[in-house]
Amino acid sequence: MANDKGKATRSDLDEAALFFHKYPVPGKLEIQATKPLGNQRDLALAYSPGVAAPCLAIKEDPATAADYTARANLVAVISNGSAVLGLGNIGPLASKPVMEGKAVLFKKFAGIDVFDIEIDAPEIDRMVETVAALEPTFGGINLEDIKAPECFEVEERLKARMGIPVFHDDQHGTAIIVAAAVLNGLELAGKKIKDVKIVTSGAGAAALACLNLLVSLGASIENIWVTDRFGVAHKGRVEEMDRWKDPYVKDTEARTLADVIPGADVFLGLSAAGVLKPELLKGMAEKPLILALANPTPEIMPEVARAARPDAMICTGRSDFPNQVNNVICFPYIFRGALDCGASAINEEMKMAAVRAIAALAREEPSDVAARAYSGETPIFGPDFLIPSPFDPRLILRIAPAVAKAACDTGVATRPIGDMGAYLDKLNRFVFRSGLVMKPVFSTARSAAAKRVIYADGEDERVLRAAQVVLEEGIAEPILIGRPHVIDVRLKRYGLRIKPNVDFGLINPEEDPRYRHYVDLLIELGGRRGVTPEAARTMVRTDNTVIAALAVKRGDADAMICGLEGRFARHLRNVTLIIGARAGISDHDLSTLSMLISQRGVLFLTDTYVSVDPTAEEIAEMTILAAEEIRRFGIEPKAALLSLSDFGSRDAPSALKMRKAADILARLVPELECDGEMHADSALSEHLRQRVYPHSRLKGEANLLVFPSLDAANITLTALRTMLDALHVGPILLGTDKPAHILTPSVTSRGVVNMTALAVVEASQKAQAALNAPRG
């Protein structure tokens, strides 16, 4: 039965992946122009005759290609499809989705542009000639999914011929993360790398690269034992032997993993599921480090290893266990550092610099930055935290500069970085333009205690699909309001596996045992605000938003989501009546925050749905609430109060209102980077703002735009969302006593999932704050 469920899950994932890759346009990449082409002069500059000037400049000095073209930020992800993921030799065309995926990771994590190039070149000579001929186009080459041992030869020959970095990530990316884990594991165990015994299961490209890098870091070849499907790499063996394994060949009678693992300090598995039997662990040294990296099932499951050896430190390649060895921790940032200094190669010193930077990040003392990076969970260096999370925003800030410095120190940097402080500032700005802003929220939601989210629109397809996702991801425990027979029919129609009262809670608005309690509570809350007993009974029978709000108020749920149908104002009226504002905030001070995630980065806007014409005091209040919410994403808010006036250029009533709000904020929250009144272009460009008013309290680019009216905010939101093809997260309702969010009819299933994660985090933090509050 469990196997059938696993097959169903895999089938669902396959279908979802096919849909994801096909719509709204096929593939995961597109090319966009970075210069305007709006008139004849633009065309003349971009192409003939103007393009001749940079061409001649590059001919005279090839290094200027970094100034006049995209080459210095362009990497080729190249494969012949001979060893794709766990799929084997599927050929170059079938490998294209994987290479596009790698390109997306480069762009998302490090802002690097990529052309994925799949070449029909199964022979070493042909591949080397083809790749080498591409050097004028690219600033770096990332080789991907090429089978061993050919991959060693290809990389070696290309590195000798090409004057740009050539990096086979399957080898070196894995090696760098493994080496960081080994350094930290040995530090915890009180061992020195030169003394430890290392045993491998698997002798392919990644395993040998790991061993070579560990040797560079001080491991002794005499203490390294290599095994694979033909047993120990021993003198006289002929099966699958080559010159790359030769350094690790032993003159020994040992033939199996069981023969060589006794006394081992480190087990490195890059082979197959179940290879490492629990009884073999008993003979390993004290505090062993087990790197079981086979995917999807490791050489030994962590819980089995821990049962056999409670003192073991364990790493896997999976995201559902601590210490995930994931290449994305390093490869985008290694290339970032190499490209930024114009490195002609990625050498051993640069790789070792990356290893040490990653290891050091895991050992850093807990801080506010770390807490934000890990969604409020401050990680502490130890057996379950040897490696940073792939989504730690500090990775780029540690690895790229370390790699660039090593390139400079070893003489391979053609454009050495002179001002490292300015370089770090540039990298820091990128961190919060990467669009990964929701990742910490989801991470926190998974570990939150308060997870019950009630959905007023439980019969809607988007909610049903979102409910399945949040269950699979462990984000929330859904409670749906809807008629059971309607939900059953729709679950079958949409092919969803979740079942009411098994996987999710259900409130039937037509017949629920809590009906009388909900009516009584509504009368109590609204009796002095025009809600008669008869009206209360009607509302609880007919209005799902009312039911959801009462469930949250009564403690039957931790947060609510509504608004997929009907008018925002009606839902707001019910939420305000039943849940109300939190202490210190009046009902009319509720506001909304909208987040737009686009290729350009992340931008917050307020108030986009509630206050038609807020006062200066209300604008100050909503800005404070918005800033508080933005910090939940690990982002420091930079608020710009927008107006038709640019620092006093006009004295219109709305401009005076925004000026007054800015004064209030400066007095109430002097620590908040905030200023106004100003034009939108001044808000988004420090260069323009300096021209108008060089003494502004706002530095850099604003990430929170505050508007003088609902008209301005809502029009800007909808225009930007369409023009930037941005993902809208929100509206996020601010100031309520308990988490309640009113979405809009245009929201997608993905939008429902995003808001669910936010609601869970908010509920969890409110619950924690209540526990920590002093008791009177």
Side-chain angles (χ1 to χ4, degrees):
M1 189 73 178
N3 191 40
D4 290 342
K5 186 175 181 182
K7 288 178 180 175
T9 302
R10 172 56 54 187
S11 175
D12 290 344
L13 183 62
D14 290 346
E15 287 298 319
L18 291 172
F19 184 90
F20 177 87
H21 281 77
K22 188 172 182 179
Y23 299 101
V25 294
K28 300 189 284 280
L29 295 170
E30 66 178 5
I31 295 173
Q32 293 188 20
T34 60
K35 298 293 190 293
L37 294 172
N39 53 45
Q40 187 61 42
R41 179 170 175 77
D42 290 343
L43 292 174
L45 292 170
Y47 199 52
S48 181
V51 75
C55 288
L56 293 173
I58 293 168
K59 183 178 183 297
E60 187 174 328
D61 180 4
T64 60
D67 300 318
Y68 300 128
T69 75
R71 183 177 186 260
N73 194 50
L74 188 61
V75 166
V77 170
I78 301 180
S79 181
N80 64 0
S82 58
V84 179
L85 292 174
L87 305 175
N89 188 355
I90 61 175
L93 182 59
S95 77
K96 190 171 181 64
V98 178
M99 304 311 131
E100 283 190 355
K102 193 67 177 274
V104 169
L105 295 178
F106 266 110
K107 185 68 175 178
K108 207 70 170 171
F109 284 89
I112 295 170
D113 294 318
V114 166
F115 289 157
D116 65 291
I117 300 178
E118 297 74 33
I119 56 177
D120 185 7
E123 308 86 3
I124 291 174
D125 288 346
R126 184 174 179 182
M127 186 159 200
V128 169
E129 291 301 320
T130 302
V131 177
L134 297 171
E135 183 169 349
T137 302
F138 296 101
I141 303 291
N142 182 95
L143 299 174
E144 194 77 16
D145 292 351
I146 304 166
K147 70 185 178 73
E150 288 90 335
C151 61
F152 301 117
E153 182 82 26
V154 168
E155 185 188 42
E156 185 176 81
R157 286 167 59 177
L158 287 172
K159 287 173 76 171
R161 285 182 60 171
M162 302 181 78
I164 58 175
V166 178
F167 187 84
H168 185 207
D169 183 49
D170 299 325
Q171 293 181 55
H172 308 300
T174 302
I176 287 164
I177 310 306
V178 164
V182 169
L183 290 185
N184 280 344
L186 295 182
E187 177 167 316
L188 285 173
K191 301 174 183 179
K192 297 185 183 303
I193 192 168
K194 66 183 178 65
D195 300 325
V196 297
K197 179 179 180 181
I198 301 169
V199 175
T200 77
S201 173
L208 292 176
C210 290
L211 296 179
N212 293 341
L213 187 54
L214 289 172
V215 169
S216 295
L217 289 164
S220 169
I221 288 180
E222 288 70 31
N223 293 337
I224 295 174
W225 296 77
V226 172
T227 74
D228 59 16
R229 61 190 179 125
F230 293 103
V232 175
H234 65 272
K235 206 171 211 180
R237 186 181 126 178
V238 295
E239 300 91 350
E240 290 192 2
M241 296 302 294
D242 52 57
R243 64 186 175 95
W244 291 281
K245 289 193 186 82
D246 284 349
Y248 303 105
V249 168
K250 296 287 190 292
D251 187 0
T252 178
E253 296 299 315
R255 293 295 182 265
T256 67
L257 177 62
D259 293 336
V260 297
I261 202 167
D265 299 279
V266 178
F267 169 81
L268 173 60
L270 285 151
S271 53
V275 166
L276 184 61
K277 306 301 180 189
E279 57 268 22
L280 298 182
L281 271 63
K282 298 187 185 301
M284 292 185 72
E286 183 184 1
K287 296 181 180 177
L289 174 61
I290 298 166
L291 296 123
L293 307 183
N295 255 329
T297 307
E299 285 80 1
I300 188 169
M301 292 299 289
E303 61 271 19
V304 176
R306 204 172 296 285
R309 285 297 298 265
D311 62 335
M313 293 168 280
I314 306 161
C315 302
T316 71
R318 292 170 46 148
S319 61
D320 52 344
F321 294 110
N323 296 324
Q324 183 194 12
V325 174
N326 187 330
N327 289 16
V328 81
I329 290 174
C330 71
F331 75 79
Y333 316 121
I334 290 171
F335 270 96
R336 182 72 279 157
L339 292 172
D340 289 342
C341 69
S344 58
I346 294 174
N347 56 31
E348 283 299 297
E349 290 82 2
M350 293 161 74
K351 288 187 280 184
M352 287 192 287
V355 170
R356 293 189 176 104
I358 294 165
L361 179 56
R363 296 195 301 267
E364 282 189 19
E365 288 293 318
S367 65
D368 290 343
V369 174
R372 289 200 299 268
Y374 289 84
S375 313
E377 296 179 8
T378 308
I380 299 174
F381 178 54
D384 287 335
F385 189 69
L386 300 174
I387 312 168
S389 161
F391 293 94
D392 191 324
R394 298 169 297 172
L395 284 166
I396 193 172
L397 304 177
R398 304 294 189 272
I399 299 173
V403 168
K405 183 178 185 302
C408 296
D409 292 345
T410 55
V412 298
T414 62
R415 299 189 306 277
I417 295 170
D419 187 341
M420 195 58 75
Y423 180 53
L424 280 168
D425 185 55
K426 177 183 173 184
L427 293 175
N428 199 49
R429 288 199 302 273
F430 168 77
V431 167
F432 298 115
R433 292 175 62 124
S434 65
L436 295 171
V437 67
M438 285 301 298
K439 189 64 189 179
V441 174
F442 276 85
S443 178
T444 299
R446 289 189 189 97
S447 60
K451 284 180 178 284
R452 298 170 302 163
V453 178
I454 189 165
Y455 300 85
D457 304 289
E459 297 175 3
D460 191 285
E461 177 184 359
R462 293 163 292 178
V463 168
L464 294 170
R465 292 190 181 280
Q468 179 154 311
V469 171
V470 300
L471 279 164
E472 289 173 350
E473 295 287 323
I475 295 167
E477 298 168 11
I479 303 168
L480 274 55
I481 301 176
R483 295 160 293 177
H485 64 282
V486 174
I487 289 177
D488 281 338
V489 168
R490 293 184 179 178
L491 287 172
K492 291 185 179 114
R493 182 191 304 165
Y494 305 137
L496 301 174
R497 300 184 317 279
I498 53 176
K499 300 185 185 311
N501 296 317
V502 176
D503 300 307
F504 62 88
L506 184 63
I507 292 181
N508 180 2
E510 295 178 341
E511 184 180 359
D512 190 275
R514 288 161 287 201
Y515 170 74
R516 184 183 300 277
H517 300 291
Y518 284 1
V519 169
D520 290 344
L521 179 57
L522 182 56
I523 293 169
E524 178 187 338
L525 295 169
R528 293 183 180 274
R529 300 174 70 177
V531 179
T532 65
E534 184 59 35
R537 285 190 286 272
T538 302
M539 290 168 72
V540 176
R541 282 275 186 235
T542 61
D543 195 318
N544 287 5
T545 297
V546 168
I547 299 172
L550 289 166
V552 172
K553 185 72 174 179
R554 192 168 176 262
D556 296 335
D558 301 306
M560 67 171 281
I561 304 284
C562 65
L564 279 76
E565 295 179 6
R567 300 290 183 185
F568 187 95
R570 177 176 65 83
H571 295 295
L572 179 64
R573 192 163 53 247
N574 289 328
V575 167
T576 303
L577 171 69
I578 296 166
I579 291 179
R582 75 188 195 196
I585 296 173
S586 64
D587 288 346
H588 60 77
D589 279 345
L590 296 183
S591 59
T592 57
L593 178 69
S594 287
M595 177 168 65
L596 292 178
I597 304 174
S598 70
Q599 291 293 337
R600 190 183 180 282
V602 178
L603 190 63
F604 295 90
L605 301 87
T606 193
D607 168 22
T608 48
Y609 280 91
V610 176
S611 303
V612 175
D613 186 17
T615 65
E617 289 75 15
E618 289 168 344
I619 288 168
E621 181 69 62
M622 69 175 66
T623 303
I624 293 169
L625 291 173
E628 178 185 299
E629 185 71 25
I630 290 169
R631 290 190 180 99
R632 188 171 281 133
F633 295 94
I635 297 174
E636 195 57 36
K638 293 172 176 282
L641 276 59
L642 302 187
S643 171
L644 57 84
S645 171
D646 206 17
F647 293 103
S649 63
R650 299 276 297 274
D651 284 334
S654 64
L656 295 174
K657 176 172 69 174
M658 299 306 278
R659 198 178 304 167
K660 181 180 178 183
D663 291 340
I664 295 170
L665 287 164
R667 187 175 70 253
L668 294 179
V669 282
E671 71 281 4
L672 175 64
E673 267 198 57
C674 174
D675 212 341
E677 78 288 7
M678 70 179 77
H679 287 170
D681 54 358
S682 293
L684 299 174
S685 169
E686 184 170 29
H687 177 68
L688 291 177
R689 189 164 62 252
Q690 286 288 323
R691 285 184 186 175
V692 179
Y693 184 59
H695 304 294
S696 173
R697 293 191 300 273
L698 179 64
K699 305 301 178 187
E701 181 178 315
N703 55 24
L704 170 60
L705 304 183
V706 183
F707 295 87
S709 70
L710 185 57
D711 276 346
N714 195 269
I715 291 168
T716 303
L717 169 67
T718 52
L720 284 178
R721 183 172 61 188
T722 303
M723 292 170 63
L724 298 176
D725 191 24
L727 171 67
H728 176 214
V729 179
I732 304 166
L733 189 58
L734 305 176
T736 54
D737 187 48
K738 294 177 183 293
H741 296 293
I742 306 165
L743 308 187
T744 60
S746 63
V747 72
T748 63
S749 177
R750 180 184 180 190
V752 176
V753 173
N754 283 334
M755 288 305 300
T756 299
L758 270 173
V760 166
V761 172
E762 186 181 350
S764 178
Q765 291 176 350
K766 282 181 180 289
Q768 191 60 48
L771 284 174
N772 296 337
R775 303 191 180 277

